[in-house]
Protein backbone atom coordinates (compact mmCIF):
# COMPACT_ATOMS: atom_id res chain seq x y z
CA UNK A 1 0.00 0.00 0.00
CA UNK A 2 1.30 3.43 -0.98
CA UNK A 3 -1.52 5.86 -0.16
CA UNK A 4 -4.39 6.28 2.29
CA UNK A 5 -7.34 8.16 0.81
CA UNK A 6 -9.34 9.84 3.54
CA UNK A 7 -12.80 11.12 2.55
CA UNK A 8 -13.51 14.64 3.86
CA UNK A 9 -16.20 17.29 3.54
CA UNK A 10 -18.95 16.21 1.13
CA UNK A 11 -16.98 13.14 0.02
CA UNK A 12 -17.54 11.41 3.38
CA UNK A 13 -20.85 9.98 2.15
CA UNK A 14 -19.42 8.83 -1.19
CA UNK A 15 -17.15 5.90 -0.28
CA UNK A 16 -18.50 3.78 -3.14
CA UNK A 17 -17.80 6.59 -5.62
CA UNK A 18 -14.21 6.83 -4.34
CA UNK A 19 -13.73 3.06 -4.70
CA UNK A 20 -15.06 3.23 -8.25
CA UNK A 21 -12.93 6.24 -9.21
CA UNK A 22 -9.77 4.89 -7.59
CA UNK A 23 -9.29 1.73 -9.62
CA UNK A 24 -8.34 -1.32 -7.48
CA UNK A 25 -8.59 0.65 -4.24
CA UNK A 26 -9.39 -1.38 -1.11
CA UNK A 27 -11.94 -0.32 1.49
CA UNK A 28 -10.61 -0.28 5.06
CA UNK A 29 -14.09 -1.03 6.35
CA UNK A 30 -14.21 -4.31 4.44
CA UNK A 31 -12.00 -5.74 7.22
CA UNK A 32 -12.77 -3.43 10.16
CA UNK A 33 -16.08 -2.65 11.80
CA UNK A 34 -16.37 1.17 11.69
CA UNK A 35 -18.20 1.24 15.03
CA UNK A 36 -16.16 -1.16 17.18
CA UNK A 37 -12.82 -1.05 15.34
CA UNK A 38 -9.74 0.13 17.24
CA UNK A 39 -6.61 1.66 15.74
CA UNK A 40 -4.76 -1.65 16.04
CA UNK A 41 -7.50 -3.25 13.91
CA UNK A 42 -7.11 -0.53 11.27
CA UNK A 43 -3.33 -1.02 11.34
CA UNK A 44 -3.59 -4.78 10.82
CA UNK A 45 -6.01 -4.29 7.91
CA UNK A 46 -3.81 -1.64 6.29
CA UNK A 47 -0.61 -3.69 6.57
CA UNK A 48 -2.37 -6.66 5.01
CA UNK A 49 -3.89 -4.65 2.13
CA UNK A 50 -2.96 -5.82 -1.38
CA UNK A 51 -3.86 -2.61 -3.18
CA UNK A 52 -1.72 0.52 -3.61
CA UNK A 53 -4.70 2.57 -2.45
CA UNK A 54 -6.67 2.21 0.75
CA UNK A 55 -9.85 4.17 1.43
CA UNK A 56 -9.46 5.14 5.05
CA UNK A 57 -11.89 5.69 7.88
CA UNK A 58 -12.66 9.31 7.01
CA UNK A 59 -11.44 10.40 10.47
CA UNK A 60 -8.49 12.56 9.33
CA UNK A 61 -6.28 12.23 12.43
CA UNK A 62 -6.87 8.48 12.57
CA UNK A 63 -6.00 8.13 8.89
CA UNK A 64 -2.94 10.37 9.27
CA UNK A 65 -1.65 8.14 12.08
CA UNK A 66 -2.40 5.10 9.92
CA UNK A 67 -0.42 6.54 7.01
CA UNK A 68 2.54 7.30 9.30
CA UNK A 69 2.50 3.84 10.86
CA UNK A 70 2.37 2.02 7.51
CA UNK A 71 4.72 4.29 5.57
CA UNK A 72 1.90 5.33 3.25
CA UNK A 73 1.04 8.80 1.96
CA UNK A 74 -2.08 10.67 3.06
CA UNK A 75 -4.32 12.15 0.38
CA UNK A 76 -7.45 14.09 1.36
CA UNK A 77 -10.41 13.38 -0.92
CA UNK A 78 -13.17 15.91 -1.51
CA UNK A 79 -16.14 15.77 -3.86
CA UNK A 80 -15.57 18.95 -5.84
CA UNK A 81 -14.05 22.42 -5.84
CA UNK A 82 -16.47 23.59 -3.15
CA UNK A 83 -14.55 21.32 -0.72
CA UNK A 84 -11.12 22.85 -1.40
CA UNK A 85 -11.36 25.44 1.41
CA UNK A 86 -12.32 22.72 3.88
CA UNK A 87 -9.40 20.59 2.62
CA UNK A 88 -6.98 23.51 3.02
CA UNK A 89 -8.06 24.14 6.63
CA UNK A 90 -7.80 20.43 7.44
CA UNK A 91 -4.38 20.20 5.77
CA UNK A 92 -3.04 23.05 7.93
CA UNK A 93 -4.49 21.49 11.07
CA UNK A 94 -2.89 18.10 10.38
CA UNK A 95 0.50 19.61 9.56
CA UNK A 96 0.42 21.67 12.80
CA UNK A 97 -0.14 18.35 14.60
CA UNK A 98 3.01 16.96 12.96
CA UNK A 99 1.40 14.88 10.21
CA UNK A 100 2.38 15.06 6.55
CA UNK A 101 -0.27 15.44 3.81
CA UNK A 102 0.81 14.43 0.30
CA UNK A 103 -1.98 16.29 -1.48
CA UNK A 104 -5.67 16.19 -2.28
CA UNK A 105 -7.92 14.62 -4.91
CA UNK A 106 -11.41 15.58 -6.10
CA UNK A 107 -14.02 13.04 -7.13
CA UNK A 108 -15.61 15.32 -9.67
CA UNK A 109 -12.34 16.65 -11.09
CA UNK A 110 -9.93 13.75 -11.50
CA UNK A 111 -7.50 15.60 -13.77
CA UNK A 112 -5.03 17.34 -11.47
CA UNK A 113 -5.14 21.10 -11.94
CA UNK A 114 -4.57 22.97 -8.67
CA UNK A 115 -1.47 23.12 -6.47
CA UNK A 116 -1.01 19.84 -4.50
CA UNK A 117 -3.92 18.28 -6.41
CA UNK A 118 -3.39 14.72 -7.63
CA UNK A 119 -5.59 12.29 -9.49
CA UNK A 120 -6.12 8.75 -8.25
CA UNK A 121 -3.58 7.26 -10.64
CA UNK A 122 -0.92 9.63 -9.34
CA UNK A 123 -1.92 8.85 -5.75
CA UNK A 124 -1.35 5.13 -6.39
CA UNK A 125 2.16 5.82 -7.72
CA UNK A 126 3.47 7.96 -4.84
CA UNK A 127 6.67 6.63 -3.29
CA UNK A 128 6.35 4.91 0.06
CA UNK A 129 7.62 6.71 3.15
CA UNK A 130 9.52 5.39 6.13
CA UNK A 131 7.21 3.90 8.75
CA UNK A 132 6.80 5.96 11.91
CA UNK A 133 6.77 3.59 14.88
CA UNK A 134 4.01 4.26 17.37
CA UNK A 135 2.57 2.20 20.23
CA UNK A 136 0.34 -0.02 18.09
CA UNK A 137 3.00 -0.74 15.46
CA UNK A 138 5.60 -1.42 18.16
CA UNK A 139 3.29 -3.91 19.91
CA UNK A 140 2.49 -5.59 16.60
CA UNK A 141 6.17 -5.93 15.71
CA UNK A 142 6.91 -7.21 19.20
CA UNK A 143 4.37 -10.01 18.84
CA UNK A 144 5.62 -10.94 15.37
CA UNK A 145 9.23 -11.09 16.59
CA UNK A 146 8.32 -13.19 19.62
CA UNK A 147 6.25 -15.56 17.46
CA UNK A 148 9.32 -16.28 15.34
CA UNK A 149 11.32 -17.22 18.46
CA UNK A 150 8.75 -19.68 19.93
CA UNK A 151 10.27 -19.49 23.40
CA UNK A 152 8.84 -21.35 26.40
CA UNK A 153 7.78 -18.94 29.15
CA UNK A 154 6.60 -19.87 32.65
CA UNK A 155 3.88 -17.79 34.36
CA UNK A 156 3.78 -18.61 38.09
CA UNK A 157 0.59 -16.71 38.99
CA UNK A 158 -2.10 -18.95 37.54
CA UNK A 159 -4.62 -17.88 40.21
CA UNK A 160 -4.80 -14.37 38.72
CA UNK A 161 -7.49 -13.78 36.06
CA UNK A 162 -5.23 -11.38 34.15
CA UNK A 163 -2.62 -14.10 33.72
CA UNK A 164 -5.22 -16.50 32.34
CA UNK A 165 -6.58 -13.81 30.00
CA UNK A 166 -3.09 -12.96 28.77
CA UNK A 167 -2.33 -16.67 28.32
CA UNK A 168 -5.45 -17.07 26.17
CA UNK A 169 -4.33 -14.21 23.92
CA UNK A 170 -0.70 -15.39 23.72
CA UNK A 171 -1.74 -18.92 22.80
CA UNK A 172 -4.39 -17.75 20.33
CA UNK A 173 -1.76 -15.61 18.57
CA UNK A 174 0.82 -18.43 18.80
CA UNK A 175 3.33 -16.05 20.43
CA UNK A 176 5.11 -18.64 22.59
CA UNK A 177 4.77 -21.86 24.55
CA UNK A 178 3.47 -21.48 28.09
CA UNK A 179 3.61 -23.24 31.43
CA UNK A 180 1.24 -21.79 34.03
CA UNK A 181 1.71 -22.65 37.71
CA UNK A 182 -1.18 -23.20 40.09
CA UNK A 183 -3.84 -25.77 40.77
CA UNK A 184 -4.56 -27.25 37.31
CA UNK A 185 -8.24 -28.01 37.95
CA UNK A 186 -8.87 -24.56 39.41
CA UNK A 187 -7.16 -22.90 36.44
CA UNK A 188 -9.17 -24.96 33.94
CA UNK A 189 -12.41 -24.20 35.75
CA UNK A 190 -11.72 -20.48 36.01
CA UNK A 191 -10.67 -20.24 32.36
CA UNK A 192 -13.92 -21.90 31.34
CA UNK A 193 -15.90 -19.43 33.46
CA UNK A 194 -14.12 -16.54 31.74
CA UNK A 195 -14.60 -18.02 28.26
CA UNK A 196 -10.87 -18.57 27.76
CA UNK A 197 -9.01 -21.31 25.96
CA UNK A 198 -5.71 -22.28 27.64
CA UNK A 199 -5.67 -25.92 26.54
CA UNK A 200 -2.36 -25.49 24.70
CA UNK A 201 -0.60 -24.44 27.93
CA UNK A 202 1.04 -26.83 30.37
CA UNK A 203 -0.66 -26.45 33.76
CA UNK A 204 1.60 -27.45 36.63
CA UNK A 205 1.11 -27.68 40.40
CA UNK A 206 4.39 -26.52 42.01
CA UNK A 207 3.47 -27.96 45.41
CA UNK A 208 3.52 -31.61 44.38
CA UNK A 209 5.24 -34.08 42.07
CA UNK A 210 8.75 -35.39 41.57
CA UNK A 211 10.10 -32.06 40.32
CA UNK A 212 9.57 -30.42 43.71
CA UNK A 213 12.02 -32.82 45.36
CA UNK A 214 14.49 -32.52 42.49
CA UNK A 215 14.35 -28.73 42.67
CA UNK A 216 14.78 -28.82 46.45
CA UNK A 217 17.92 -30.93 46.17
CA UNK A 218 19.35 -28.59 43.51
CA UNK A 219 18.49 -25.45 45.50
CA UNK A 220 20.05 -26.85 48.66
CA UNK A 221 23.25 -27.50 46.68
CA UNK A 222 23.22 -23.98 45.25
CA UNK A 223 22.75 -22.43 48.71
CA UNK A 224 24.81 -24.79 50.85
CA UNK A 225 27.42 -22.04 51.33
CA UNK A 226 24.67 -20.14 53.12
CA UNK A 227 23.85 -23.12 55.34
CA UNK A 228 20.70 -24.13 53.46
CA UNK A 229 19.34 -27.57 54.41
CA UNK A 230 17.29 -29.83 52.14
CA UNK A 231 14.26 -29.45 54.44
CA UNK A 232 14.50 -25.66 54.18
CA UNK A 233 14.94 -25.96 50.42
CA UNK A 234 11.77 -28.07 50.15
CA UNK A 235 9.75 -25.35 51.85
CA UNK A 236 11.34 -22.62 49.74
CA UNK A 237 10.63 -24.49 46.50
CA UNK A 238 6.89 -24.49 47.29
CA UNK A 239 7.02 -20.77 46.62
CA UNK A 240 5.91 -20.10 43.04
CA UNK A 241 8.69 -17.64 42.21
CA UNK A 242 11.43 -19.98 43.40
CA UNK A 243 9.86 -22.94 41.61
CA UNK A 244 9.46 -21.04 38.32
CA UNK A 245 12.97 -19.60 38.53
CA UNK A 246 14.37 -23.12 39.04
CA UNK A 247 12.49 -24.19 35.89
CA UNK A 248 14.34 -21.48 33.96
CA UNK A 249 17.66 -22.39 35.59
CA UNK A 250 17.29 -26.04 34.58
CA UNK A 251 16.22 -25.24 31.02
CA UNK A 252 12.62 -26.42 31.47
CA UNK A 253 11.53 -22.90 30.48
CA UNK A 254 13.35 -20.16 28.60
CA UNK A 255 12.13 -17.30 30.77
CA UNK A 256 9.76 -16.26 33.54
CA UNK A 257 7.25 -13.41 33.94
CA UNK A 258 5.76 -12.71 37.36
CA UNK A 259 4.71 -9.86 39.66
CA UNK A 260 1.03 -9.33 38.79
CA UNK A 261 0.13 -10.35 42.33
CA UNK A 262 3.53 -10.18 44.06
CA UNK A 263 6.16 -7.59 44.89
CA UNK A 264 9.21 -6.91 42.72
CA UNK A 265 11.43 -8.31 45.48
CA UNK A 266 9.42 -11.56 45.53
CA UNK A 267 9.90 -11.91 41.77
CA UNK A 268 13.55 -10.91 41.54
CA UNK A 269 15.17 -12.31 44.70
CA UNK A 270 15.02 -15.98 43.57
CA UNK A 271 16.80 -15.04 40.34
CA UNK A 272 19.71 -13.62 42.36
CA UNK A 273 19.92 -16.89 44.29
CA UNK A 274 19.42 -19.32 41.40
CA UNK A 275 20.02 -17.79 37.96
CA UNK A 276 22.54 -15.17 39.11
CA UNK A 277 24.12 -12.42 37.05
CA UNK A 278 25.47 -12.88 33.54
CA UNK A 279 29.22 -13.09 32.99
CA UNK A 280 30.70 -9.60 33.19
CA UNK A 281 27.69 -8.21 35.04
CA UNK A 282 27.80 -7.14 38.67
CA UNK A 283 24.38 -5.49 38.90
CA UNK A 284 20.84 -6.31 37.80
CA UNK A 285 19.00 -3.29 36.47
CA UNK A 286 16.00 -2.42 34.32
CA UNK A 287 14.82 -0.32 31.43
CA UNK A 288 11.43 0.79 30.23
CA UNK A 289 10.82 1.15 26.51
CA UNK A 290 8.86 4.39 26.04
CA UNK A 291 6.91 4.36 22.78
CA UNK A 292 5.19 7.42 21.30
CA UNK A 293 4.27 8.28 17.70
CA UNK A 294 7.63 8.49 15.94
CA UNK A 295 9.59 8.30 19.19
CA UNK A 296 11.17 5.19 20.74
CA UNK A 297 13.25 5.73 23.88
CA UNK A 298 14.72 3.58 26.65
CA UNK A 299 14.71 4.77 30.28
CA UNK A 300 16.95 3.11 32.88
CA UNK A 301 17.09 2.28 35.74
CA UNK A 302 13.51 2.94 36.82
CA UNK A 303 12.71 -0.16 38.89
CA UNK A 304 15.60 -1.84 40.72
CA UNK A 305 18.55 0.19 42.09
CA UNK A 306 17.70 3.04 44.51
CA UNK A 307 21.12 4.74 44.59
CA UNK A 308 23.56 3.21 42.11
CA UNK A 309 27.26 3.94 42.47
CA UNK A 310 29.17 5.55 39.57
CA UNK A 311 30.50 2.10 38.69
CA UNK A 312 26.99 0.65 38.65
CA UNK A 313 25.66 3.60 36.61
CA UNK A 314 28.38 3.02 34.02
CA UNK A 315 27.46 -0.66 33.80
CA UNK A 316 23.73 0.16 33.60
CA UNK A 317 24.46 2.55 30.72
CA UNK A 318 26.30 -0.11 28.72
CA UNK A 319 23.80 -2.92 29.25
CA UNK A 320 20.87 -0.54 28.58
CA UNK A 321 22.42 0.33 25.22
CA UNK A 322 22.63 -3.38 24.39
CA UNK A 323 19.02 -4.03 25.40
CA UNK A 324 17.78 -0.97 23.51
CA UNK A 325 19.54 -2.15 20.34
CA UNK A 326 17.86 -5.55 20.73
CA UNK A 327 14.49 -3.81 20.40
CA UNK A 328 15.26 -1.59 17.43
CA UNK A 329 16.69 1.52 19.12
CA UNK A 330 19.98 2.92 17.80
CA UNK A 331 21.59 3.69 21.17
CA UNK A 332 22.78 7.20 21.94
CA UNK A 333 23.16 7.18 25.70
CA UNK A 334 22.58 10.29 27.84
CA UNK A 335 23.83 10.21 31.44
CA UNK A 336 21.26 12.50 33.03
CA UNK A 337 21.81 15.07 35.75
CA UNK A 338 20.53 18.48 36.85
CA UNK A 339 23.67 19.90 35.23
CA UNK A 340 25.07 19.72 31.69
CA UNK A 341 28.79 19.31 31.11
CA UNK A 342 30.85 21.33 33.56
CA UNK A 343 28.10 23.87 34.30
CA UNK A 344 27.34 22.56 37.79
CA UNK A 345 29.09 21.10 40.79
CA UNK A 346 28.18 18.94 43.74
CA UNK A 347 28.32 15.34 44.85
CA UNK A 348 25.39 14.22 42.67
CA UNK A 349 26.88 15.80 39.54
CA UNK A 350 30.34 14.39 40.26
CA UNK A 351 28.84 10.92 40.53
CA UNK A 352 27.41 11.23 36.99
CA UNK A 353 30.67 12.71 35.71
CA UNK A 354 32.59 9.70 37.01
CA UNK A 355 29.96 7.25 35.69
CA UNK A 356 30.16 8.87 32.23
CA UNK A 357 33.95 8.62 32.16
CA UNK A 358 33.86 4.96 33.19
CA UNK A 359 31.14 4.11 30.66
CA UNK A 360 33.08 5.80 27.86
CA UNK A 361 36.36 4.10 28.81
CA UNK A 362 34.79 0.65 29.10
CA UNK A 363 32.63 0.94 25.97
CA UNK A 364 34.50 3.05 23.38
CA UNK A 365 32.26 1.68 20.61
CA UNK A 366 29.12 3.23 22.15
CA UNK A 367 27.86 6.83 21.91
CA UNK A 368 27.68 7.86 25.57
CA UNK A 369 27.84 11.41 26.94
CA UNK A 370 27.01 13.41 30.03
CA UNK A 371 26.21 14.86 32.39
CA UNK A 372 23.21 16.09 30.42
CA UNK A 373 20.00 17.77 31.49
CA UNK A 374 16.93 16.23 29.89
CA UNK A 375 16.30 19.17 27.55
CA UNK A 376 19.93 19.13 26.42
CA UNK A 377 19.59 15.42 25.74
CA UNK A 378 16.47 15.64 23.52
CA UNK A 379 16.40 19.14 21.95
CA UNK A 380 19.20 19.53 19.42
CA UNK A 381 19.41 23.33 19.60
CA UNK A 382 19.66 23.21 23.39
CA UNK A 383 22.05 20.25 23.40
CA UNK A 384 24.51 21.78 20.95
CA UNK A 385 24.45 25.08 22.82
CA UNK A 386 25.10 23.46 26.20
CA UNK A 387 27.42 20.65 25.06
CA UNK A 388 28.70 21.62 21.58
CA UNK A 389 30.19 18.86 19.47
CA UNK A 390 28.49 16.06 21.41
CA UNK A 391 27.23 13.12 19.36
CA UNK A 392 24.52 12.50 21.97
CA UNK A 393 23.28 15.97 23.00
CA UNK A 394 19.92 16.64 21.38
CA UNK A 395 19.85 13.16 19.83
CA UNK A 396 19.65 10.85 22.85
CA UNK A 397 17.59 7.67 22.67
CA UNK A 398 18.72 5.90 25.87
CA UNK A 399 18.40 7.87 29.11
CA UNK A 400 20.23 6.80 32.27
CA UNK A 401 18.81 8.37 35.42
CA UNK A 402 21.09 9.03 38.40
CA UNK A 403 18.81 7.26 40.89
CA UNK A 404 15.61 5.24 41.13
CA UNK A 405 13.60 8.15 42.55
CA UNK A 406 14.24 10.30 39.46
CA UNK A 407 13.85 7.47 36.98
CA UNK A 408 10.59 6.09 38.33
CA UNK A 409 8.97 9.52 38.61
CA UNK A 410 10.02 10.48 35.08
CA UNK A 411 8.86 7.33 33.32
CA UNK A 412 5.45 7.58 34.97
CA UNK A 413 5.19 11.30 34.14
CA UNK A 414 5.96 10.64 30.46
CA UNK A 415 3.65 7.61 30.37
CA UNK A 416 0.68 9.52 31.77
CA UNK A 417 1.12 12.95 30.17
CA UNK A 418 2.51 12.08 26.72
CA UNK A 419 0.17 9.12 26.10
CA UNK A 420 3.24 6.90 25.88
CA UNK A 421 3.27 3.13 25.88
CA UNK A 422 5.65 2.10 28.68
CA UNK A 423 6.90 -1.46 28.14
CA UNK A 424 8.72 -2.87 31.15
CA UNK A 425 10.44 -3.06 33.45
CA UNK A 426 12.78 -5.19 31.35
CA UNK A 427 15.38 -6.71 33.65
CA UNK A 428 19.02 -6.73 32.53
CA UNK A 429 22.15 -8.41 33.77
CA UNK A 430 20.75 -11.86 34.60
CA UNK A 431 22.01 -15.11 33.08
CA UNK A 432 18.50 -15.89 31.81
CA UNK A 433 15.46 -13.63 31.38
CA UNK A 434 13.15 -13.00 34.31
CA UNK A 435 10.82 -10.02 34.08
CA UNK A 436 8.68 -8.31 36.66
CA UNK A 437 5.12 -7.04 36.26
CA UNK A 438 3.50 -4.17 38.08
CA UNK A 439 0.74 -5.33 40.41
CA UNK A 440 -1.48 -2.94 38.45
CA UNK A 441 -0.52 -4.59 35.15
CA UNK A 442 -3.20 -4.82 32.49
CA UNK A 443 -3.63 -7.83 30.21
CA UNK A 444 -1.86 -6.00 27.32
CA UNK A 445 1.02 -5.19 29.73
CA UNK A 446 1.38 -8.89 30.52
CA UNK A 447 1.23 -9.89 26.85
CA UNK A 448 3.93 -7.32 25.98
CA UNK A 449 6.18 -8.42 28.84
CA UNK A 450 5.90 -12.08 27.87
CA UNK A 451 6.77 -11.15 24.26
CA UNK A 452 9.78 -9.13 25.48
CA UNK A 453 10.92 -12.10 27.58
CA UNK A 454 10.54 -14.47 24.65
CA UNK A 455 12.73 -12.22 22.50
CA UNK A 456 15.36 -11.94 25.25
CA UNK A 457 15.35 -15.71 25.72
CA UNK A 458 16.05 -16.59 22.10
Amino acid sequence: MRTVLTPVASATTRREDILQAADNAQDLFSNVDPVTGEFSDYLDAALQADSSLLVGSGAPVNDARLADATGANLVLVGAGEADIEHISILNDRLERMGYSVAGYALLDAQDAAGEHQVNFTQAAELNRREQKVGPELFERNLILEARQRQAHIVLPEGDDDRILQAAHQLLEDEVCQLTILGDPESMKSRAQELGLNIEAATLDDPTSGDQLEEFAQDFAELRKHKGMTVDEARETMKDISHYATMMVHKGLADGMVSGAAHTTAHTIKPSFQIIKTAPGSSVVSSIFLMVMDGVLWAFGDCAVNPNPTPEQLAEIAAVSAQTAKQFGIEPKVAMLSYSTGASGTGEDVESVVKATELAQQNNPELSIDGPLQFDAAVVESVGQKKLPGSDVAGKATVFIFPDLNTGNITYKAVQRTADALAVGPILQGLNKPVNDLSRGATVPDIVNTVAITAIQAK
Side-chain angles (χ1 to χ4, degrees):
M1 185 189 60
R2 295 172 181 267
T3 302
V4 175
L5 304 172
T6 187
V8 299
S10 54
T12 56
T13 58
R14 297 179 61 182
R15 294 183 71 86
E16 290 301 323
D17 291 341
I18 296 173
L19 287 166
Q20 187 173 8
D23 190 34
N24 293 322
Q26 190 168 328
D27 190 354
L28 180 63
F29 287 160
S30 63
N31 291 316
V32 181
D33 187 314
V35 177
T36 63
E38 298 182 356
F39 185 78
S40 57
D41 300 319
Y42 293 130
L43 181 60
D44 280 341
L47 290 171
Q48 292 165 13
D50 296 325
S51 173
S52 295
L53 294 173
L54 182 74
V55 180
S57 66
V61 174
N62 185 78
D63 287 349
R65 287 191 68 213
L66 190 65
D68 277 356
T70 57
N73 299 277
L74 180 69
V75 171
L76 307 177
V77 180
E81 292 186 3
D83 290 336
I84 291 178
E85 183 177 356
H86 182 97
I87 289 170
S88 178
I89 293 169
L90 185 56
N91 180 89
D92 291 345
R93 177 189 165 208
L94 289 170
E95 291 194 341
R96 282 198 305 272
M97 295 174 70
Y99 297 110
S100 177
V101 180
Y104 71 92
L106 299 176
L107 270 174
D108 300 332
Q110 291 190 42
D111 292 330
E115 187 179 7
H116 305 304
Q117 184 179 350
V118 297
N119 60 39
F120 294 113
T121 300
Q122 291 168 328
E125 294 173 350
L126 291 170
N127 292 327
R128 283 182 55 79
R129 300 184 298 148
E130 184 177 350
Q131 285 179 288
K132 184 181 286 188
V133 177
E136 294 85 3
L137 181 59
F138 180 82
E139 287 182 303
R140 187 180 191 275
N141 291 343
L142 198 64
I143 294 301
L144 292 175
E145 181 73 16
R147 184 183 295 155
Q148 290 181 350
R149 310 299 178 97
Q150 279 303 297
H152 183 174
I153 307 300
V154 57
L155 305 175
E157 299 167 311
D159 57 352
D160 190 299
D161 286 354
R162 292 167 297 168
I163 296 295
L164 298 179
Q165 290 164 337
H168 167 89
Q169 187 173 328
L170 289 160
L171 294 168
E172 185 176 58
D173 292 341
E174 299 180 338
V175 176
C176 60
Q177 301 170 54
L178 290 177
T179 291
I180 311 173
L181 301 185
D183 178 75
E185 292 307 316
S186 295
M187 288 188 285
K188 288 177 186 176
S189 175
R190 184 56 180 158
Q192 193 171 20
E193 289 174 12
L194 296 171
L196 306 174
N197 182 358
I198 58 171
E199 289 181 3
T202 299
L203 307 182
D204 191 12
D205 185 351
T207 64
S208 64
D210 295 337
Q211 270 185 343
L212 181 62
E213 181 61 26
E214 179 189 337
F215 287 1
Q217 295 288 341
D218 288 344
F219 188 61
E221 181 64 25
L222 285 170
R223 304 294 292 171
K224 67 180 180 181
H225 65 289
K226 294 289 187 179
M228 173 74 68
T229 67
V230 173
D231 285 342
E232 290 171 333
R234 285 192 189 99
E235 287 304 308
T236 303
M237 277 299 119
K238 290 178 182 178
D239 170 68
I240 57 167
S241 285
H242 280 86
Y243 189 96
T245 305
M246 186 61 79
M247 285 184 64
V248 176
H249 173 66
K250 293 180 70 67
L252 300 173
D254 297 313
M256 178 184 91
V257 173
S258 188
H262 294 84
T263 64
T264 295
H266 184 265
T267 298
I268 297 177
K269 183 180 177 182
S271 64
F272 294 158
Q273 298 173 331
I274 299 170
I275 293 174
K276 302 182 181 178
T277 55
S281 295
S282 64
V283 63
V284 174
S285 61
S286 73
I287 65 168
F288 279 85
L289 301 179
M290 308 299 295
V291 192
M292 295 156 276
D293 281 340
V295 176
L296 182 55
W297 287 341
F299 283 4
D301 173 12
C302 304
V304 181
N305 298 284
N307 293 291
T309 65
E311 292 77 13
Q312 289 174 328
L313 270 181
E315 187 176 320
I316 291 168
V319 73
S320 295
Q322 293 167 7
T323 305
K325 194 169 185 178
Q326 192 174 15
F327 293 99
I329 301 174
E330 184 59 36
K332 290 185 178 293
V333 185
M335 308 294 286
L336 296 176
S337 173
Y338 61 76
S339 168
T340 295
S343 67
T345 58
E347 185 178 342
D348 291 340
V349 177
E350 292 306 314
S351 176
V352 178
V353 169
K354 184 177 179 181
T356 304
E357 291 172 351
L358 288 170
Q360 291 170 335
Q361 290 168 12
N362 296 336
N363 308 277
E365 76 286 358
L366 292 177
S367 294
I368 301 174
D369 213 343
L372 282 161
Q373 292 161 286
F374 196 88
D375 60 345
V378 299
V379 181
E380 193 159 3
S381 59
V382 176
Q384 292 306 313
K385 183 177 181 180
K386 291 189 173 185
L387 204 62
S390 170
D391 186 43
V392 174
K395 306 170 187 174
T397 56
V398 179
F399 303 82
I400 305 303
F401 294 91
D403 55 60
L404 182 58
N405 199 35
T406 310
N408 194 270
I409 290 170
T410 305
Y411 109 74
K412 288 182 180 293
V414 172
Q415 179 189 27
R416 298 301 181 183
T417 60
D419 197 25
L421 172 68
V423 181
I426 302 168
L427 297 184
Q428 315 171 119
L430 289 168
N431 254 323
K432 294 184 179 182
V434 169
N435 280 313
D436 179 43
L437 297 166
S438 164
R439 278 170 285 176
T442 63
V443 172
D445 291 337
I446 298 168
V447 169
N448 287 341
T449 303
V450 171
I452 287 275
T453 309
I455 294 168
Q456 286 181 301
K458 296 281 187 177

